[in-house]
């Protein structure tokens, strides 16, 4: 490996900045606010896009387009050579691209065909719980309070998934969304442990291209590309797709990867219980969606459990112990 490549790998594998060494607290706060708002609106954008676009076609298209845009910006501003990756960084890019951007986002879109945007966001909110379970399976021992948070979160999820008679909830769609969060949690965990490009824009662009290509192939086998009729897609769906691609994907994902390198992981993970609140409010205002009393209660249980897990893990990091891993969104 060339000297420059070794240096890039060393920087890429450094642990995230510890609390108190952020350097740019104002920029971090702005970044967090952007992720809260933009990813909170992703569920609404997905729901409107899926009114006349199929899930894998829309997901593959927006990530491929976003990936090309990000890589073009890198090539123009820093030279095409910046996009070359050493062999050691491809496993990390592949893990993020295939699992998070690809499988995670595609499964979420498939499930959102049948599940209201607010309810989908509450199901996704449980992702930090799956991250902790992955750590538990790898031999680490979380604190008892964190385990209690996981158990409480799973109870809240069970309450969401067990549809009351006459509610007409789509259990398969909800289960698909939960599966998407599990896949994303695994990809997020692997990405934190593997070498990735030191330049967050380069890593983001390649992950989008890899994930988008995987979903495009899956859509081909599913017959979605054969059934695509662009003339039948509504203006409303095209505008929502464009918003998802430019604002939620390019801006949101880029800001998120920037935050992962400059803020404590547990601080970044707070998006998991802020986004659902924004998503529920947007669903009520724009799509006239409503949650039942039982769903609100279950959502509160899930969000409180996630908050407990994040708080415990943050305390663990402050004591110098191995931190947990945040998860990304859709």
């Amino acid at each position: 490996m060339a000297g420059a490549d070794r240096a890039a790998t060393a920087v890429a594998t450094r642990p995230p900045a510890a609390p108190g060494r952020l350097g740019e607290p104002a920029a971090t706060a702005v970044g967090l606010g952007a992720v809260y708002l933009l990813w909170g609106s992703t569920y609404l954008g997905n729901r409107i896009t899926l009114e006349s676009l199929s899930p894998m076609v829309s997901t593959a298209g927006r990530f491929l387009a976003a990936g090309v845009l990000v890589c073009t910006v890198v090539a123009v501003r820093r030279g095409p050579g910046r996009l070359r990756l050493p062999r050691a960084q491809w496993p990390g890019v592949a893990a993020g691209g295939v699992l998070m951007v690809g499988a995670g986002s595609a499964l979420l879109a498939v499930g959102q065909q049948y599940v209201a945007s607010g309810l989908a966001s509450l199901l996704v909110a449980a992702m930090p719980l799956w991250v902790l379970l992955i750590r538990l399976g790898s031999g680490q021992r979380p604190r008892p309070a964190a385990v209690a948070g996981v158990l409480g979160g799973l109870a809240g999820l069970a309450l969401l998934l067990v549809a009351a008679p006459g509610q007409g909830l789509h259990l398969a769609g909800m289960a698909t969304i939960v599966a998407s969060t599990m896949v994303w949690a695994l990809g997020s965990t692997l990405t934190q442990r593997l070498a990735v490009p030191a330049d967050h824009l380069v890593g983001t662009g390649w992950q989008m291209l890899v994930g988008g290509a995987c979903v495009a192939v899956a859509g081909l086998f599913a017959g979605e590309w054969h059934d695509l009729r662009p003339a039948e897609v509504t203006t409303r769906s095209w505008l929502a797709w464009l918003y998802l691609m430019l604002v939620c994907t390019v801006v949101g994902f880029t800001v998120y990867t920037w935050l992962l390198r400059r803020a404590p992981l547990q601080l970044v993970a707070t998006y998991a219980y802020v986004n659902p609140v924004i998503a529920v409010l947007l669903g009520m205002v724009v799509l006239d969606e409503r949650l039942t009393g039982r769903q609100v209660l279950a959502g509160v249980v899930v969000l409180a459990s996630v908050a407990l897990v994040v708080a415990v893990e943050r305390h663990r990091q402050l004591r110098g112990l191995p931190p947990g891993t945040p998860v990304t969104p859709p």
Side-chain angles (χ1 to χ4, degrees):
M1 183 184 296
D5 288 345
R6 285 197 299 271
T9 301
V11 173
T13 53
R14 288 176 187 166
R21 290 187 291 163
L22 300 182
E24 301 177 354
T28 300
V30 171
L32 281 172
V35 170
Y36 291 164
L37 179 61
L38 299 184
W39 279 357
S41 66
T42 297
Y43 304 94
L44 175 64
N46 251 338
R47 187 70 173 169
I48 296 175
T49 299
L50 294 170
E51 290 176 353
S52 57
L53 271 172
S54 56
M56 292 188 188
V57 166
S58 63
T59 301
R62 75 178 170 106
F63 280 116
L64 287 173
V68 169
L69 181 58
V70 170
C71 288
T72 300
V73 170
V74 172
V76 170
R77 294 181 59 185
R78 304 171 189 175
R82 193 64 175 264
L83 294 172
R84 289 197 297 267
L85 300 182
R87 185 179 303 176
Q89 293 177 1
W90 277 108
V93 168
V98 174
L99 295 175
M100 292 194 299
V101 177
S105 296
L107 287 172
L108 174 63
V110 170
Q112 272 207 262
Q113 294 178 105
Y114 316 103
V115 179
S117 60
L119 179 56
S121 69
L122 292 176
L123 295 171
V124 172
M127 268 197 283
L129 308 181
W130 303 126
V131 171
L132 196 59
L133 285 176
I134 291 172
R135 288 180 51 209
L136 190 61
S138 65
Q140 297 186 37
R141 294 185 178 181
R143 297 181 57 163
V147 175
V150 170
L151 294 178
L154 294 178
L157 277 179
L159 194 58
L160 283 172
L161 290 171
V162 179
Q167 285 186 346
L169 297 181
H170 197 287
L171 185 58
M174 296 171 70
T176 301
I177 292 175
V178 172
S180 79
T181 66
M182 294 178 176
V183 173
W184 200 298
L186 177 60
S188 203
T189 302
L190 290 175
T191 300
Q192 288 293 329
R193 296 178 180 179
L194 297 171
V196 294
D199 188 326
H200 74 281
L201 281 180
V202 174
T204 297
W206 277 117
Q207 285 185 4
M208 289 176 179
L209 290 175
V210 170
C214 290
V215 179
V217 172
L220 186 63
F221 281 102
E224 289 192 10
W225 291 102
H226 180 269
D227 297 334
L228 177 62
R229 303 288 185 272
E232 297 177 3
V233 180
T234 65
T235 301
R236 173 181 163 99
S237 287
W238 278 127
L239 289 175
W241 180 88
L242 190 63
Y243 173 79
L244 285 173
M245 189 274 288
L246 287 177
V247 181
C248 297
T249 304
V250 174
V251 178
F253 203 88
T254 300
V255 171
Y256 178 78
T257 56
W258 179 86
L259 282 171
L260 281 182
R261 297 167 186 271
R262 288 166 173 79
L265 301 180
Q266 289 69 33
L267 179 62
V268 182
T270 57
Y271 86 89
Y273 48 87
V274 176
N275 287 0
V277 177
I278 295 175
V280 169
L281 293 176
L282 288 175
M284 293 173 65
V285 172
V286 179
L287 300 178
D288 198 31
E289 296 177 348
R290 293 293 181 269
L291 295 176
T292 66
R294 181 182 62 83
Q295 290 170 345
V296 171
L297 174 61
V300 170
V301 171
V302 170
L303 297 181
S305 300
V306 170
L308 175 60
V309 169
V310 171
V312 171
E313 290 301 290
R314 179 169 175 77
H315 178 70
R316 184 184 181 90
Q317 185 181 25
L318 288 173
R319 292 175 56 205
L321 298 173
T325 305
V327 288
T328 332

